[in-house]
Amino acid sequence: YLQRLKEAGLGSLPGTAAEVLDDEVRAIICPDKLSTQEWLDVVQAAHAVGLKTTSTLMFGHVEAPGAIARHLVRLRALQRR
C-alpha cells in the first residue's frame, strides 16, 4: 500500500500521530490509535519504500520522564535501522 502511494506521488508521512511512544501513556491519551509497536512498524515500512517521516512528541500531560525517554530511545533505534 505504501509503495502504491509513493508511486502516486506521496513523498512523506508527516506528523504520523506518534503522540508519546509509550503504551501506558497511549492507553490514556489515545486508546483508539495504533500501539507503539504498530506505529514503529508502519514508519519502518514507510522507510523501506523510501518515504520520509517525521515524529512529534506530545508532552505536558500524563507522561512521566521515563515515557519521554522511551519515546526518544525508540525513535533513535528506528533511525538506526
Side-chain angles (χ1 to χ4, degrees):
Y1 181 74
L2 290 171
Q3 183 62 45
R4 289 177 53 207
L5 288 171
K6 183 180 180 198
E7 290 167 2
L10 184 68
S12 66
L13 295 178
T16 64
E19 314 301 0
V20 177
L21 296 176
D22 182 86
D23 283 331
E24 289 181 25
V25 175
R26 292 178 76 74
I28 297 167
I29 66 170
C30 56
D32 296 330
K33 289 189 176 181
L34 299 173
S35 71
T36 296
Q37 189 57 56
E38 290 169 330
W39 186 94
L40 292 167
D41 291 345
V42 168
V43 172
Q44 184 173 356
H47 294 170
V49 299
L51 291 171
K52 295 180 180 184
T53 65
T54 62
S55 172
T56 58
L57 170 60
M58 188 170 73
F59 63 95
H61 39 85
V62 301
E63 82 291 335
I68 295 171
R70 285 187 291 277
H71 176 98
L72 296 173
V73 166
R74 288 175 175 133
L75 288 178
R76 182 176 60 193
L78 180 64
Q79 289 173 336
R80 289 181 174 167
R81 291 186 212 151

